[in-house]
Amino acid sequence: MEMKKPANSTWTDEQWEAIATRGNNTLVAAAAGSGKTAVLVERIIKMITDEKDPIDVDRLLVVTFTKAAASEMRQRIGEAIEKELGKRPSSLHLRRQLTLLNRATITTLHSFCMEILQRYSFRIDLDPAFRIADDTEALLLRRDVMETMMETQYEQADEDSPFAKLVENYGGDRDDLPIKNLILSIYEFSRSHPSPNLWLEEVLTSFQDLSLEKINQSSWFQSLMEDVALELKGVEALLKEAVYYAESPGGPTVYLDCLKEDLAIVNRVQEVIHFSWEETYQEMKVSFGRLKACKGKDIDEVIKNKAKDLRDNAKKRFDKVREELFSIPPQVYIDNLKEMAPLMEKMIDLVRCFAEDYQKAKKEKGLVDFSDLEHFALQILLDEESTPHNPVPSVAAMDYQAQFREVLVDEYQDTNMVQETLLTAVCINGGKENGNLFMVGDVKQSIYRFRLAEPALF
């Protein structure tokens, strides 16, 4: 269902469609400065002031990614309500919205998680008097837990143990700080997934039972080859530009045969890159030829040098890809990965051990960190029968689904998998078809990747 666009509206057709569409999940993708947040605010106002089916502002969940943005959003909504009230001064509904605005859930995701824990902490094993650890406190606690765990590992390991080999391969020359940082990095990344232990298990499985066929079908291989394909498109563009200069008046026409051969090499690789590592490896073994000498009164040196520089850059980038990813046969890579399997098994064991010890240390001190906020909230919102592939909303989630007529998310590109699961749990139909989830963002502005946001969700 859509509202008709007013004749005097200043909104574009696309903006109005985003404002007026109802009854389905909606994703608004637009560049910086295009008015995405203004559209979100206008959508809220239209829902609040709808004469046929008005919504109270506290029946909306509005999620932003900073407290400052949440405060600004609340202010903009308040100003818009006051402006509408100026047009309809007798509206008791609008006056009521100004009162309800103070308690409306316009907040950051972490603040919403806090509300969930305070409201339903009795549903999980969590002290209601918990305190959020600040960054320094959490850092020092992680460091203490890591030191204690590593000391225990050193005491128990012998020279030929997987732990000793892991430290030898991934530790530093002077200390074991690199391997500690690696354990922490894997731990933190696992926490960006709804089921950290399942993700760790999948990582471990990827090092076992390997074959060329399975690697060709794996998501990490396809992702890697997409990056290679993107780089090859850049190489192709450079070569085509070099051809343009070589064919120009005064250009080095003797370069053309070589440039066209280079393009043929790149095109052959592009044809097989997503299907077979072995075929890609074979095609990447072919090197670019040498440019012929080019002299003469008819040659424009500026154009000649431009064509040569473009070709040299293309060759450099092509050779770099080959050296980094295709310097050894695929089967050798597979053999190396199989040899790494026992080390990776130990690495995953260390990550799990650290996770358990860190959680125990936080519990003893009555602390939670920001990652805990999300995972405890998710534990509350998902039923015990839930699986990673089939999340089932709990009674608590059903309460929120009944409370919120719509869930609106600003800067959606900065969402990770845990947050995505949280949001869909409080949406009608679990965020699926005919849902009530409204999202705005721009994937090119994903600034929180360091917080493990997953722009691919966008």
Side-chain angles (χ1 to χ4, degrees):
M1 180 181 72
E2 287 190 23
M3 293 181 288
K4 187 176 180 181
K5 180 180 175 181
N8 60 346
S9 174
T10 59
W11 300 102
T12 67
D13 290 344
E14 291 80 8
Q15 288 174 327
W16 183 258
E17 183 180 6
I19 291 167
T21 299
R22 300 287 186 270
N24 281 298
N25 295 327
T26 304
L27 173 62
V28 178
S34 58
K36 297 185 298 296
T37 303
V39 164
L40 188 148
V41 171
E42 184 68 14
R43 180 180 177 88
I44 292 171
I45 295 303
K46 291 300 182 187
M47 287 190 288
I48 292 172
T49 60
D50 190 332
E51 294 184 4
K52 293 183 179 179
D53 184 25
I55 297 174
D56 286 335
V57 69
D58 63 346
R59 298 289 305 280
L60 302 173
L61 170 59
V62 186
V63 177
T64 68
F65 276 80
T66 66
K67 290 181 179 179
S71 178
E72 181 184 355
M73 181 79 69
R74 190 182 299 272
Q75 181 181 346
R76 290 174 69 171
I77 293 171
E79 290 171 352
I81 293 174
E82 288 177 349
K83 183 179 178 180
E84 192 67 24
L85 190 57
K87 301 176 185 177
R88 296 157 55 188
S90 61
S91 174
L92 295 178
H93 172 72
L94 289 176
R95 292 184 183 280
R96 184 166 180 265
Q97 300 316 302
L98 287 175
T99 303
L100 293 176
L101 184 60
N102 293 322
R103 73 182 193 189
T105 314
I106 304 169
T107 182
T108 65
L109 195 61
H110 284 149
S111 294
F112 179 54
C113 289
M114 273 289 292
E115 190 225 292
I116 294 172
L117 297 189
Q118 290 167 348
R119 187 172 172 182
Y120 294 101
S121 61
F122 63 90
R123 292 183 176 272
I124 59 175
D125 184 19
L126 177 65
D127 184 352
F130 70 87
R131 179 171 61 84
I132 299 178
D134 61 44
D135 291 342
T136 302
E137 191 175 16
L139 176 63
L140 292 174
L141 187 58
R142 284 199 300 268
R143 186 179 298 169
D144 289 344
V145 170
M146 179 65 73
E147 290 296 335
T148 302
M149 183 192 76
M150 293 297 284
E151 286 176 10
T152 302
Q153 292 290 329
Y154 280 117
E155 290 172 0
Q156 297 176 350
D158 56 47
E159 293 183 0
D160 295 325
S161 66
F163 176 77
K165 292 179 180 177
L166 191 64
V167 173
E168 180 182 352
N169 282 275
Y170 294 96
D173 295 332
R174 298 182 180 179
D175 56 35
D176 57 4
L177 186 59
I179 195 168
K180 291 176 181 175
N181 289 338
L182 187 56
I183 292 169
L184 282 173
S185 295
I186 297 173
Y187 164 77
E188 289 173 356
F189 192 84
S190 72
R191 299 287 289 175
S192 71
H193 293 262
S195 301
N197 284 328
L198 177 64
W199 181 81
L200 290 170
E201 189 64 36
E202 289 174 349
V203 170
L204 184 57
T205 302
S206 69
F207 284 88
Q208 301 167 339
D209 192 24
L210 292 169
S211 66
L212 270 176
E213 182 180 0
K214 288 186 177 180
I215 285 182
N216 287 335
Q217 296 172 354
S218 68
S219 58
W220 69 262
F221 172 78
Q222 293 297 330
S223 178
L224 181 63
M225 291 305 105
E226 284 175 8
D227 289 342
V228 174
L230 187 62
E231 183 67 10
L232 290 178
K233 282 185 178 180
V235 171
E236 181 184 19
L238 290 171
L239 291 172
K240 287 182 176 179
E241 191 175 358
V243 168
Y244 168 80
Y245 281 104
E247 291 177 336
S248 299
T253 54
V254 294
Y255 288 176
L256 285 172
D257 288 343
C258 187
L259 290 171
K260 290 177 180 179
E261 288 176 6
D262 297 341
L263 278 169
I265 293 171
V266 173
N267 291 336
R268 285 198 298 272
V269 176
Q270 290 173 320
E271 289 174 0
V272 300
I273 195 166
H274 288 294
F275 303 104
S276 168
W277 189 0
E278 181 64 38
E279 289 182 63
T280 306
Y281 167 75
Q282 294 298 333
E283 294 294 347
M284 288 293 292
K285 287 167 68 174
V286 182
S287 301
F288 283 17
R290 178 174 300 202
L291 290 174
K292 294 180 180 179
C294 181
K295 296 180 181 180
K297 296 180 181 180
D298 297 334
I299 301 299
D300 185 318
E301 288 296 320
V302 174
I303 295 177
K304 169 190 166 182
N305 290 334
K306 185 67 175 176
K308 185 177 183 303
D309 289 345
L310 287 164
R311 198 269 183 171
D312 287 346
N313 190 9
K315 183 177 184 301
K316 181 179 179 181
R317 289 171 63 171
F318 186 85
D319 289 345
K320 183 181 179 182
V321 171
R322 179 173 55 198
E323 181 180 346
E324 290 181 350
L325 297 173
F326 302 98
S327 58
I328 60 176
Q331 189 57 51
V332 176
Y333 270 114
I334 291 174
D335 293 341
N336 290 341
L337 288 172
K338 288 180 178 178
E339 289 178 7
M340 288 172 63
L343 302 186
M344 291 304 101
E345 185 174 356
K346 185 59 184 178
M347 176 64 79
I348 297 301
D349 178 62
L350 291 173
V351 174
R352 286 172 173 161
C353 183
F354 171 79
E356 292 174 4
D357 292 349
Y358 183 42
Q359 200 65 34
K360 188 182 299 182
K362 286 184 289 185
K363 187 174 182 180
E364 289 174 355
K365 294 178 178 292
L367 297 175
V368 299
D369 58 22
F370 286 117
S371 175
D372 290 329
L373 286 178
E374 296 175 350
H375 280 276
F376 282 140
L378 193 60
Q379 189 178 339
I380 289 169
L381 293 176
L382 294 182
D383 191 81
E384 292 180 356
E385 297 181 0
S386 287
T387 65
H389 302 294
N390 183 34
V392 179
S394 66
V395 173
M398 295 290 192
D399 290 343
Y400 280 115
Q401 289 181 18
Q403 176 183 346
F404 297 129
R405 290 281 299 273
E406 185 156 291
V407 177
L408 303 100
V409 187
D410 197 15
E411 306 297 349
Y412 178 72
Q413 75 278 352
D414 295 322
T415 303
N416 66 30
M417 287 296 298
V418 177
Q419 296 161 350
E420 166 81 357
T421 309
L422 272 166
L423 291 169
T424 54
V426 298
C427 288
I428 296 172
N429 297 331
K432 297 178 183 178
E433 290 184 5
N434 301 320
N436 60 336
L437 180 60
F438 183 83
M439 305 148 282
V440 300
D442 175 17
V443 73
K444 294 179 181 178
Q445 296 183 70
S446 184
I447 61 174
Y448 289 111
R449 194 66 190 265
F450 65 93
R451 293 186 189 172
L452 304 175
E454 181 46 75
L457 286 170
F458 193 85

